[in-house]
Amino acid sequence: MASQEPSWERRYSRKLLWTDTAVILATVAVAQVIGGTRIFETSTLGQFLRHAVIPATLIIAWSAALIMQDSRKPAVFATGPEEYKRVIDGTVFAFGVTAILIVLSAPPQFHRVMLFISLPCGLILILLGRWVWRKRLQHQRRRGKNTYRTLIVGERGHSTHSVRQLRSNAIAGFKLLGAVTESGSQHELLPGLPVVADYDSLLDAVDQYDIDVVIVTSSDALTPDRLRRIGWELEGRYVDLILAASLIDIAGPRIHVRPVSGLPLIHVEYPEFSGQRYYAKRLFDVVGAVILLIPAAIIMALLAFAIKREDPGPIIFKQVRLGLDGREFIMFKLRSMHQDAEDELPSLLDRSEGNATLFKIKADPRVTRVGRFMRRHSFDELPQLINVLKGDMSLVGPRPPLPREAEQYGKWEDRRLLVRPGVSGLWQVSGRSDLSWEESVRLDLFYVENWSMTGDLLILWRTLRAIVKPEGAY
């Protein structure tokens, strides 16, 4: 019978706890020293307590806020931005409480200095610590360790789709050991995944395979009353019950459960294409582009010299793309091909190695040596920061399509044009030219439907990694 929780879960939570605690204590202590504290030079107990109350409050509030935000909850381990969001929310709350105390108590000036130092440094270090542990956990899960022993339950059609999705994301940690269907057929649900029981034998299979998680998809035979009894039995075995709704490509923040008379109704919010969040994204784009243009200008100047030296012609390549609401704009790139490359395109169409819609050749003869280097590390896209400032593009968004590509859009694919295209996006950090057309569209639509500021920050971080270690860039 399964234990209360997997032992690796407890170990991982303790590692996060000790890492967070060490960062909090070290950050507050160092900030105290930098701020010029005299906490250990006080002559009376009253002075000592007056100097110590603010840092002590910050340490306690910070630690408690991370606990209250469930930032170490197993459900947020390894994948998605939720763990980082909870850390940020908890940190901001703790500093808000401490700031109010500072205003009310009017303590020495060095406490204010301590607060301004602790907030950015501590938050960055905690997020860095979480990222390091997450990378380690993901590496272990790719090797089949630190996973949840899982059964999938439901009709074959619904379960098959869920299995494919789970298998495509190994770092989620669900190790599928078998399927449970109504008939309990001995045929495999999918290659490598046997059907191990029918619904009546579900609990026997849970015990036999020492299951940690049962994922229920959909089945008419699993009535609400029967599913409730299964939940009670699993509770006694300390096995998690997860219901997989028939919703795809919808991120967690858009999903809310509304209990009505004991019935958990799932409310799906529509994506936001206007309002305060949209204006905040535009402000973030402008500020980010201005900051990035400073180092980008130096890199572009060096590359411009190399481009001119290797091949005559313009440094900037201009191309018509479609932006917000399908409006045409001129997109800027550093020229990576010979100046007559467009004239040579018709003779190369039959050699395309990209997906069915996008023309790409891994060893395109039109690309210069400098251009090959720029493309591999995405340096040719640096001038698009100007497009961001002009309002044609965003730092993060769907891929900007060519007009001829948009002509092939189906009924729903033009939803990609509901937001500004991005200099980077899910398509760029997920394989780029190695992706199929269908996968490229799916990633773009997923972004359009589920974009968030936290998600944008994570994509930008992954973009930096993709520049250093590029995949699918040619």
Side-chain angles (χ1 to χ4, degrees):
M1 184 172 294
S3 60
Q4 185 167 353
E5 61 182 358
S7 59
W8 69 264
E9 232 181 48
R10 296 191 295 273
R11 292 196 303 271
Y12 189 79
S13 293
R14 285 197 297 267
K15 291 173 183 176
L16 295 183
L17 172 61
W18 288 117
T19 303
D20 294 346
T21 303
V23 168
I24 291 172
L25 292 175
T27 301
V28 174
V30 172
Q32 285 275 90
V33 173
I34 295 175
T37 179
R38 298 293 184 268
I39 190 171
F40 296 111
E41 299 177 10
T42 54
S43 57
T44 65
L45 178 61
Q47 289 178 335
F48 176 82
L49 293 176
R50 181 169 178 264
H51 288 335
V53 66
I54 296 298
T57 299
L58 177 56
I59 292 171
I60 295 172
W62 203 347
S63 301
L66 293 178
I67 295 174
M68 291 187 295
Q69 287 290 333
D70 282 334
S71 68
R72 305 181 193 102
K73 190 175 182 179
V76 301
F77 287 173
T79 60
E82 184 62 24
E83 179 183 3
Y84 299 129
K85 182 178 182 298
R86 294 184 184 192
V87 168
I88 294 172
D89 290 345
T91 299
V92 171
F93 173 80
F95 276 83
V97 170
T98 310
I100 292 174
L101 182 61
I102 287 178
V103 171
L104 294 178
S105 62
Q109 178 64 27
F110 62 76
H111 280 153
R112 295 183 177 87
V113 176
M114 176 208 69
L115 195 66
F116 288 127
I117 295 174
S118 299
L119 174 57
C121 295
L123 179 58
I124 291 172
L125 288 175
I126 289 179
L127 292 176
L128 180 61
R130 294 300 184 97
W131 178 81
V132 170
W133 284 120
R134 174 177 287 206
K135 291 293 111 177
R136 176 173 170 77
L137 179 58
Q138 291 175 352
H139 175 69
Q140 291 173 327
R141 283 182 170 178
R142 291 190 182 97
R143 298 168 57 194
K145 299 180 179 180
N146 293 353
T147 56
Y148 299 103
R149 300 171 63 84
T150 305
L151 284 182
I152 189 129
V153 182
E155 295 178 353
R156 294 185 71 95
H158 290 282
S159 294
T160 297
H161 172 77
S162 297
V163 168
R164 289 197 179 104
Q165 295 298 107
L166 291 172
R167 281 182 168 179
S168 68
N169 186 13
I171 60 177
F174 295 105
K175 183 179 181 180
L176 296 169
L177 299 182
V180 177
T181 64
E182 183 175 6
S183 62
S185 168
Q186 295 303 309
H187 298 296
E188 291 183 323
L189 185 70
L190 284 174
L193 187 68
V195 175
V196 297
D198 57 19
Y199 297 155
D200 293 330
S201 305
L202 168 61
L203 297 177
D204 293 333
V206 168
D207 295 335
Q208 178 183 350
Y209 290 93
D210 194 20
I211 295 301
D212 300 312
V213 174
V214 170
I215 298 178
V216 179
T217 57
S218 179
S219 174
D220 292 338
L222 292 174
T223 62
D225 184 62
R226 187 175 189 180
L227 192 59
R228 180 173 59 177
R229 291 198 301 270
I230 290 173
W232 289 340
E233 293 286 352
L234 295 179
E235 178 186 4
R237 291 168 166 80
Y238 301 109
V239 175
D240 289 335
L241 175 64
I242 298 177
L243 302 182
S246 299
L247 299 170
I248 61 172
D249 289 341
I250 297 179
R254 289 180 54 206
I255 300 174
H256 304 278
V257 178
R258 289 185 175 181
V260 178
S261 301
L263 182 65
L265 301 179
I266 298 179
H267 171 69
V268 181
E269 293 183 351
Y270 291 116
E272 295 185 31
F273 303 119
S274 61
Q276 294 180 354
R277 289 179 63 240
Y278 207 72
Y279 295 130
K281 178 177 173 67
R282 178 61 188 149
L283 178 61
F284 174 77
D285 287 338
V286 172
V287 174
V290 170
I291 294 173
L292 291 173
L293 269 174
I294 298 173
I298 300 174
I299 297 174
M300 286 191 289
L302 296 174
L303 292 174
F305 175 77
I307 292 169
K308 270 293 188 181
R309 184 173 182 178
E310 181 174 1
D311 186 78
I315 295 171
I316 299 296
F317 174 71
K318 301 177 182 180
Q319 192 174 48
V320 176
R321 297 289 181 117
L322 297 186
L324 182 64
D325 297 327
R327 293 192 294 267
E328 292 187 353
F329 71 96
I330 303 298
M331 189 182 76
F332 306 125
K333 300 181 72 173
L334 290 174
R335 183 170 59 86
S336 59
M337 294 184 175
H338 299 296
Q339 59 178 328
D340 56 352
E342 290 295 311
D343 298 332
E344 300 177 22
L345 178 60
S347 63
L348 299 173
L349 291 176
D350 59 344
R351 296 171 54 185
S352 176
E353 299 175 75
N355 56 50
T357 302
L358 303 179
F359 175 79
K360 288 284 186 178
I361 302 178
K362 289 184 179 179
D364 195 325
R366 302 173 299 162
V367 179
T368 63
R369 285 179 299 174
V370 175
R372 200 166 290 116
F373 169 78
M374 291 192 301
R375 286 187 167 205
R376 180 166 179 77
H377 297 281
S378 302
F379 289 148
D380 59 322
E381 298 173 0
L382 289 177
Q384 291 170 29
L385 293 173
I386 302 298
N387 289 119
V388 175
L389 290 178
K390 293 177 60 180
D392 298 327
M393 299 179 68
S394 175
L395 289 177
V396 181
R399 178 185 171 275
L402 292 164
R404 66 172 180 268
E405 295 169 12
E407 292 174 359
Q408 303 179 50
Y409 283 178
K411 182 178 181 181
W412 302 112
E413 291 169 351
D414 58 0
R415 287 182 65 82
R416 301 165 78 190
L417 304 176
L418 290 175
V419 300
R420 289 184 178 89
V423 177
S424 183
L426 283 174
W427 52 275
Q428 189 178 47
V429 298
S430 304
R432 300 179 69 175
S433 299
D434 289 339
L435 299 172
S436 67
W437 172 249
E438 291 76 15
E439 185 65 12
S440 299
V441 171
R442 189 189 73 80
L443 289 173
D444 280 345
L445 290 178
F446 179 86
Y447 177 83
V448 170
E449 299 286 325
N450 303 288
W451 73 269
S452 67
M453 293 301 297
T454 304
D456 282 3
L457 290 172
L458 290 178
I459 290 174
L460 289 174
W461 170 250
R462 292 175 62 187
T463 301
L464 293 176
R465 293 170 51 203
I467 291 173
V468 176
K469 189 178 180 181
E471 294 180 5
Y474 52 86

